[in-house]
Short mmCIF file of all heavy atoms in Angstrom, two decimals:
data_model
loop_
_atom_site.label_atom_id
_atom_site.label_comp_id
_atom_site.label_asym_id
_atom_site.label_seq_id
_atom_site.Cartn_x
_atom_site.Cartn_y
_atom_site.Cartn_z
N VAL A 48 3.69 1.52 5.43
CA VAL A 48 4.58 2.37 4.68
C VAL A 48 3.94 3.57 4.06
O VAL A 48 4.59 4.60 3.90
CB VAL A 48 5.41 1.58 3.64
CG1 VAL A 48 6.30 0.56 4.25
CG2 VAL A 48 4.47 0.94 2.60
N ALA A 49 2.65 3.49 3.70
CA ALA A 49 2.01 4.61 3.06
C ALA A 49 0.50 4.48 3.16
O ALA A 49 -0.01 3.37 3.36
CB ALA A 49 2.44 4.74 1.61
N CYS A 50 -0.19 5.63 3.06
CA CYS A 50 -1.63 5.57 2.98
C CYS A 50 -2.09 6.74 2.14
O CYS A 50 -1.35 7.70 1.92
CB CYS A 50 -2.29 5.62 4.36
SG CYS A 50 -1.94 7.13 5.31
N ILE A 51 -3.35 6.64 1.70
CA ILE A 51 -3.99 7.67 0.90
C ILE A 51 -5.40 7.81 1.31
O ILE A 51 -6.11 6.81 1.52
CB ILE A 51 -3.80 7.41 -0.60
CG1 ILE A 51 -4.31 8.64 -1.41
CG2 ILE A 51 -4.51 6.13 -1.03
CD1 ILE A 51 -3.87 8.59 -2.87
N SER A 52 -5.86 9.06 1.48
CA SER A 52 -7.25 9.28 1.91
C SER A 52 -8.23 8.93 0.78
O SER A 52 -7.86 8.70 -0.36
CB SER A 52 -7.43 10.72 2.34
OG SER A 52 -7.16 11.61 1.26
N LYS A 53 -9.53 8.97 1.13
CA LYS A 53 -10.55 8.52 0.19
C LYS A 53 -10.56 9.38 -1.09
O LYS A 53 -10.72 8.90 -2.20
CB LYS A 53 -11.90 8.57 0.86
CG LYS A 53 -12.03 7.57 1.99
CD LYS A 53 -13.31 7.76 2.78
CE LYS A 53 -13.26 6.89 4.01
NZ LYS A 53 -14.40 7.11 4.89
N ASN A 54 -10.39 10.69 -0.93
CA ASN A 54 -10.40 11.57 -2.14
C ASN A 54 -9.00 11.79 -2.67
O ASN A 54 -8.83 12.57 -3.61
CB ASN A 54 -11.09 12.89 -1.80
CG ASN A 54 -10.28 13.75 -0.81
OD1 ASN A 54 -9.22 13.35 -0.36
ND2 ASN A 54 -10.87 14.89 -0.45
N GLY A 55 -8.01 11.15 -2.08
CA GLY A 55 -6.66 11.31 -2.56
C GLY A 55 -5.95 12.58 -2.13
O GLY A 55 -4.80 12.83 -2.48
N GLY A 56 -6.61 13.39 -1.33
CA GLY A 56 -6.05 14.70 -0.98
C GLY A 56 -5.01 14.60 0.12
O GLY A 56 -4.26 15.59 0.32
N ARG A 57 -4.99 13.52 0.87
CA ARG A 57 -3.99 13.36 1.94
C ARG A 57 -3.23 12.08 1.70
O ARG A 57 -3.84 11.02 1.40
CB ARG A 57 -4.65 13.28 3.28
CG ARG A 57 -5.03 14.57 3.91
CD ARG A 57 -5.34 14.43 5.40
NE ARG A 57 -5.94 13.19 5.78
CZ ARG A 57 -7.20 12.90 5.72
NH1 ARG A 57 -8.03 13.80 5.25
NH2 ARG A 57 -7.66 11.72 6.10
N THR A 58 -1.92 12.13 1.86
CA THR A 58 -1.10 10.94 1.83
C THR A 58 -0.16 11.06 3.05
O THR A 58 0.07 12.13 3.60
CB THR A 58 -0.25 10.86 0.55
OG1 THR A 58 0.54 12.03 0.43
CG2 THR A 58 -1.18 10.71 -0.69
N SER A 59 0.39 9.89 3.41
CA SER A 59 1.28 9.84 4.54
C SER A 59 2.24 8.71 4.31
O SER A 59 1.89 7.68 3.69
CB SER A 59 0.52 9.68 5.85
OG SER A 59 1.41 9.74 6.94
N TYR A 60 3.51 8.88 4.81
CA TYR A 60 4.53 7.88 4.58
C TYR A 60 5.31 7.59 5.88
O TYR A 60 5.49 8.48 6.70
CB TYR A 60 5.53 8.37 3.52
CG TYR A 60 4.84 8.65 2.22
CD1 TYR A 60 4.34 9.96 1.93
CD2 TYR A 60 4.64 7.69 1.25
CE1 TYR A 60 3.73 10.26 0.75
CE2 TYR A 60 4.04 7.97 0.05
CZ TYR A 60 3.55 9.22 -0.20
OH TYR A 60 2.91 9.52 -1.40
N ALA A 61 5.81 6.37 5.98
CA ALA A 61 6.73 6.03 7.05
C ALA A 61 8.07 6.76 6.80
O ALA A 61 8.45 7.01 5.63
CB ALA A 61 6.95 4.54 7.08
N ASP A 62 8.73 7.05 7.84
CA ASP A 62 10.04 7.75 7.74
C ASP A 62 11.01 6.99 6.85
O ASP A 62 11.83 7.57 6.12
CB ASP A 62 10.68 7.98 9.12
CG ASP A 62 9.91 8.97 9.93
OD1 ASP A 62 9.15 9.75 9.36
OD2 ASP A 62 10.10 8.99 11.16
N SER A 63 10.91 5.67 6.88
CA SER A 63 11.85 4.83 6.18
C SER A 63 11.70 4.88 4.67
O SER A 63 12.63 4.52 3.89
CB SER A 63 11.71 3.38 6.63
OG SER A 63 10.37 2.92 6.43
N VAL A 64 10.56 5.42 4.19
CA VAL A 64 10.31 5.42 2.74
C VAL A 64 10.02 6.81 2.21
O VAL A 64 9.92 7.02 0.98
CB VAL A 64 9.15 4.47 2.35
CG1 VAL A 64 9.40 3.09 2.88
CG2 VAL A 64 7.84 5.02 2.81
N ARG A 65 9.84 7.77 3.09
CA ARG A 65 9.47 9.13 2.65
C ARG A 65 10.51 9.66 1.67
O ARG A 65 11.72 9.60 1.94
CB ARG A 65 9.30 10.07 3.85
CG ARG A 65 8.71 11.42 3.46
CD ARG A 65 8.43 12.23 4.72
NE ARG A 65 7.38 11.68 5.52
CZ ARG A 65 7.53 11.16 6.75
NH1 ARG A 65 8.73 11.16 7.29
NH2 ARG A 65 6.50 10.66 7.40
N GLY A 66 10.03 10.25 0.62
CA GLY A 66 10.91 10.77 -0.44
C GLY A 66 11.26 9.78 -1.52
O GLY A 66 11.76 10.16 -2.60
N ARG A 67 11.00 8.47 -1.27
CA ARG A 67 11.28 7.43 -2.28
C ARG A 67 10.00 6.79 -2.77
O ARG A 67 9.95 6.30 -3.88
CB ARG A 67 12.15 6.37 -1.65
CG ARG A 67 13.52 6.87 -1.24
CD ARG A 67 14.46 5.72 -0.85
NE ARG A 67 13.91 4.93 0.28
CZ ARG A 67 13.65 3.64 0.24
NH1 ARG A 67 13.87 2.94 -0.87
NH2 ARG A 67 13.22 3.00 1.31
N PHE A 68 8.96 6.74 -1.93
CA PHE A 68 7.71 6.10 -2.27
C PHE A 68 6.62 7.18 -2.48
O PHE A 68 6.58 8.18 -1.84
CB PHE A 68 7.21 5.18 -1.12
CG PHE A 68 8.03 3.91 -0.93
CD1 PHE A 68 9.27 3.77 -1.46
CD2 PHE A 68 7.45 2.83 -0.24
CE1 PHE A 68 9.98 2.61 -1.29
CE2 PHE A 68 8.12 1.65 -0.07
CZ PHE A 68 9.40 1.55 -0.56
N THR A 69 5.76 6.90 -3.47
CA THR A 69 4.63 7.82 -3.72
C THR A 69 3.41 7.01 -3.93
O THR A 69 3.36 6.09 -4.76
CB THR A 69 4.90 8.66 -4.97
OG1 THR A 69 6.11 9.40 -4.86
CG2 THR A 69 3.78 9.66 -5.23
N VAL A 70 2.35 7.34 -3.16
CA VAL A 70 1.09 6.63 -3.30
C VAL A 70 0.10 7.57 -4.03
O VAL A 70 0.06 8.76 -3.83
CB VAL A 70 0.53 6.24 -1.92
CG1 VAL A 70 0.30 7.41 -0.98
CG2 VAL A 70 -0.75 5.35 -2.06
N SER A 71 -0.73 6.95 -4.91
CA SER A 71 -1.66 7.77 -5.69
C SER A 71 -2.88 6.88 -6.02
O SER A 71 -2.85 5.67 -5.90
CB SER A 71 -1.01 8.25 -6.99
OG SER A 71 -0.61 7.16 -7.79
N ARG A 72 -3.94 7.57 -6.49
CA ARG A 72 -5.17 6.89 -6.84
C ARG A 72 -5.49 7.17 -8.33
O ARG A 72 -5.23 8.22 -8.87
CB ARG A 72 -6.36 7.44 -6.09
CG ARG A 72 -6.54 6.96 -4.68
CD ARG A 72 -7.89 7.47 -4.16
NE ARG A 72 -8.02 7.09 -2.74
CZ ARG A 72 -8.55 5.98 -2.36
NH1 ARG A 72 -8.94 5.11 -3.21
NH2 ARG A 72 -8.69 5.75 -1.04
N ASP A 73 -6.16 6.16 -8.93
CA ASP A 73 -6.81 6.36 -10.26
C ASP A 73 -8.24 5.88 -10.05
O ASP A 73 -8.50 4.67 -10.04
CB ASP A 73 -6.06 5.59 -11.33
CG ASP A 73 -6.58 5.88 -12.72
OD1 ASP A 73 -7.82 6.04 -12.84
OD2 ASP A 73 -5.82 5.93 -13.67
N VAL A 74 -9.12 6.82 -9.93
CA VAL A 74 -10.52 6.47 -9.65
C VAL A 74 -11.11 5.71 -10.79
O VAL A 74 -11.87 4.71 -10.58
CB VAL A 74 -11.33 7.74 -9.30
CG1 VAL A 74 -12.82 7.38 -9.12
CG2 VAL A 74 -10.78 8.41 -8.08
N ALA A 75 -10.83 6.09 -12.00
CA ALA A 75 -11.43 5.46 -13.17
C ALA A 75 -11.01 3.99 -13.24
O ALA A 75 -11.81 3.11 -13.64
CB ALA A 75 -10.99 6.17 -14.43
N ASP A 76 -9.77 3.70 -12.81
CA ASP A 76 -9.29 2.31 -12.85
C ASP A 76 -9.52 1.55 -11.53
O ASP A 76 -9.18 0.41 -11.43
CB ASP A 76 -7.77 2.26 -13.17
CG ASP A 76 -7.51 2.63 -14.64
OD1 ASP A 76 -8.45 2.59 -15.43
OD2 ASP A 76 -6.33 2.89 -14.94
N ASN A 77 -10.14 2.27 -10.57
CA ASN A 77 -10.37 1.68 -9.24
C ASN A 77 -9.08 1.08 -8.68
O ASN A 77 -9.10 -0.04 -8.14
CB ASN A 77 -11.46 0.57 -9.36
CG ASN A 77 -12.37 0.56 -8.12
OD1 ASN A 77 -12.65 1.60 -7.55
ND2 ASN A 77 -12.79 -0.65 -7.77
N THR A 78 -8.01 1.85 -8.79
CA THR A 78 -6.69 1.33 -8.42
C THR A 78 -5.95 2.35 -7.60
O THR A 78 -6.09 3.60 -7.79
CB THR A 78 -5.90 1.06 -9.72
OG1 THR A 78 -6.58 0.06 -10.48
CG2 THR A 78 -4.48 0.56 -9.39
N VAL A 79 -5.20 1.86 -6.63
CA VAL A 79 -4.21 2.66 -5.89
C VAL A 79 -2.83 2.16 -6.24
O VAL A 79 -2.60 0.94 -6.26
CB VAL A 79 -4.47 2.61 -4.39
CG1 VAL A 79 -3.31 3.20 -3.61
CG2 VAL A 79 -5.76 3.32 -4.01
N TYR A 80 -1.96 3.11 -6.55
CA TYR A 80 -0.58 2.76 -6.92
C TYR A 80 0.42 3.09 -5.82
O TYR A 80 0.20 4.05 -5.06
CB TYR A 80 -0.20 3.50 -8.20
CG TYR A 80 -1.06 3.17 -9.39
CD1 TYR A 80 -2.05 4.01 -9.80
CD2 TYR A 80 -0.83 2.01 -10.10
CE1 TYR A 80 -2.83 3.67 -10.92
CE2 TYR A 80 -1.58 1.70 -11.20
CZ TYR A 80 -2.58 2.55 -11.61
OH TYR A 80 -3.36 2.24 -12.70
N LEU A 81 1.48 2.36 -5.77
CA LEU A 81 2.60 2.71 -4.92
C LEU A 81 3.88 2.70 -5.79
O LEU A 81 4.34 1.63 -6.20
CB LEU A 81 2.75 1.73 -3.75
CG LEU A 81 3.85 2.10 -2.73
CD1 LEU A 81 3.48 3.36 -2.00
CD2 LEU A 81 4.09 0.97 -1.75
N GLN A 82 4.34 3.90 -6.11
CA GLN A 82 5.59 4.02 -6.87
C GLN A 82 6.76 3.96 -5.88
O GLN A 82 6.78 4.75 -4.95
CB GLN A 82 5.59 5.32 -7.66
CG GLN A 82 6.85 5.59 -8.42
CD GLN A 82 7.02 4.69 -9.61
OE1 GLN A 82 6.04 4.38 -10.31
NE2 GLN A 82 8.25 4.23 -9.86
N ILE A 83 7.66 3.02 -6.11
CA ILE A 83 8.75 2.88 -5.20
C ILE A 83 10.07 3.02 -5.97
O ILE A 83 10.33 2.29 -6.94
CB ILE A 83 8.69 1.50 -4.42
CG1 ILE A 83 8.48 0.35 -5.37
CG2 ILE A 83 7.58 1.55 -3.42
CD1 ILE A 83 8.42 -1.00 -4.66
N ASN A 84 10.85 4.00 -5.59
CA ASN A 84 12.11 4.35 -6.26
C ASN A 84 13.29 4.17 -5.32
O ASN A 84 13.14 4.02 -4.09
CB ASN A 84 12.05 5.82 -6.68
CG ASN A 84 10.91 6.10 -7.69
OD1 ASN A 84 10.56 5.24 -8.48
ND2 ASN A 84 10.39 7.34 -7.62
N SER A 85 14.48 4.24 -5.95
CA SER A 85 15.72 4.14 -5.15
C SER A 85 15.67 2.94 -4.19
O SER A 85 16.03 3.04 -3.03
CB SER A 85 15.96 5.43 -4.38
OG SER A 85 16.05 6.52 -5.28
N LEU A 86 15.24 1.80 -4.74
CA LEU A 86 15.13 0.61 -3.89
C LEU A 86 16.48 0.13 -3.38
O LEU A 86 17.52 0.24 -4.04
CB LEU A 86 14.46 -0.51 -4.68
CG LEU A 86 12.95 -0.36 -4.87
CD1 LEU A 86 12.45 -1.16 -6.05
CD2 LEU A 86 12.24 -0.76 -3.60
N ASN A 87 16.46 -0.38 -2.19
CA ASN A 87 17.63 -0.97 -1.56
C ASN A 87 17.23 -2.33 -0.97
O ASN A 87 16.05 -2.59 -0.80
CB ASN A 87 18.26 -0.02 -0.55
CG ASN A 87 17.28 0.32 0.57
OD1 ASN A 87 16.94 -0.52 1.38
ND2 ASN A 87 16.87 1.60 0.61
N PRO A 88 18.21 -3.17 -0.60
CA PRO A 88 17.86 -4.53 -0.14
C PRO A 88 16.94 -4.52 1.10
O PRO A 88 16.20 -5.45 1.30
CB PRO A 88 19.24 -5.10 0.17
CG PRO A 88 20.15 -4.47 -0.81
CD PRO A 88 19.63 -3.03 -0.91
N GLU A 89 17.01 -3.44 1.89
CA GLU A 89 16.15 -3.36 3.08
C GLU A 89 14.66 -3.19 2.73
O GLU A 89 13.79 -3.32 3.57
CB GLU A 89 16.58 -2.22 3.99
CG GLU A 89 17.88 -2.43 4.71
CD GLU A 89 19.09 -2.40 3.84
OE1 GLU A 89 19.10 -1.56 2.87
OE2 GLU A 89 19.97 -3.28 3.99
#
Side-chain angles (χ1 to χ4, degrees):
V48 296
C50 63
I51 187 165
S52 61
K53 296 170 188 176
N54 66 3
R57 280 195 326 276
T58 58
S59 184
Y60 301 92
D62 290 342
S63 58
V64 307
R65 188 174 293 113
R67 299 188 298 122
F68 288 19
T69 303
V70 61
S71 61
R72 281 189 184 271
D73 187 323
V74 176
D76 287 346
N77 216 34
T78 300
V79 168
Y80 297 101
L81 185 67
Q82 177 70 40
I83 49 180
N84 299 327
S85 301
L86 283 159
N87 59 68
E89 289 68 42

